[in-house]
Amino acid sequence: MVRKTLMVALAGVSMLAAVPAMAQGIGHSLFMRGSIVDTGSNGTVVCIGKADGAEVGQKLEVYRVVTHPGPSKGVAPTYHRQLVGHVTIDHIFDDHFAHVSVADGTPAKHDIVELRKN
């Protein structure tokens, strides 16, 4: 009985230890993918890479999320995406990140980048 309890506890601990590794993949897939992650002195970096089908020379549309406050009776605010410019992929770092140059507009950190596939 003690051995069975110990085995179950060990299995639970090992599952909890794996959570950070799984969360990194989930974070990229659900939260970061398609966003501008840096606009520093080294240029603009987006969270789109080889795994997303990115290629050097592709032009991406850049959108900013704009909020419209809702009425004061508890209705949630509404959102829409506003086109703020375009960027072109210069260099792909790996499966998840690429360096881009601003083609036009005013892209900023946390804006959304999107490749239009025809």
Side-chain angles (χ1 to χ4, degrees), residues 32-39 44-49 52 54 58-65 81-89 96 98 100-102 107-116:
M32 283 180 55
R33 184 183 329 166
S35 63
I36 295 178
V37 296
D38 190 19
T39 56
T44 304
V45 177
V46 297
C47 189
I48 289 182
D52 303 302
Q58 287 177 321
K59 193 169 188 178
L60 309 171
E61 295 179 344
V62 182
Y63 294 93
R64 186 162 299 139
V65 176
R81 297 177 344 148
Q82 177 181 17
L83 182 66
V84 293
H86 296 86
V87 295
T88 304
I89 298 177
H96 305 291
V100 298
S101 58
V102 177
K109 190 172 182 178
H110 305 298
D111 284 348
I112 299 167
V113 292
E114 186 174 277
L115 173 64
R116 292 284 182 187

Side-chain angles (χ1 to χ4, degrees), residues 90-111:
D90 297 328
H91 171 74
I92 300 171
F93 297 128
D94 58 18
D95 285 346
H96 305 291
F97 298 99
H99 180 269
V100 298
S101 58
V102 177
D104 61 71
T106 57
K109 190 172 182 178
H110 305 298
D111 284 348

Side-chain angles (χ1 to χ4, degrees), residues 5-88:
T5 304
L6 184 60
M7 293 300 284
V8 170
L10 186 58
V13 168
S14 45
M15 286 179 69
L16 287 174
V19 169
M22 291 187 302
Q24 182 180 8
I26 292 170
H28 171 74
S29 299
L30 297 178
F31 304 115
M32 283 180 55
R33 184 183 329 166
S35 63
I36 295 178
V37 296
D38 190 19
T39 56
S41 60
N42 293 330
T44 304
V45 177
V46 297
C47 189
I48 289 182
K50 292 176 190 172
D52 303 302
E55 296 177 8
V56 172
Q58 287 177 321
K59 193 169 188 178
L60 309 171
E61 295 179 344
V62 182
Y63 294 93
R64 186 162 299 139
V65 176
V66 179
T67 335
H68 302 283
S72 61
K73 294 187 179 193
V75 177
T78 58
Y79 303 91
H80 82 273
R81 297 177 344 148
Q82 177 181 17
L83 182 66
V84 293
H86 296 86
V87 295
T88 304

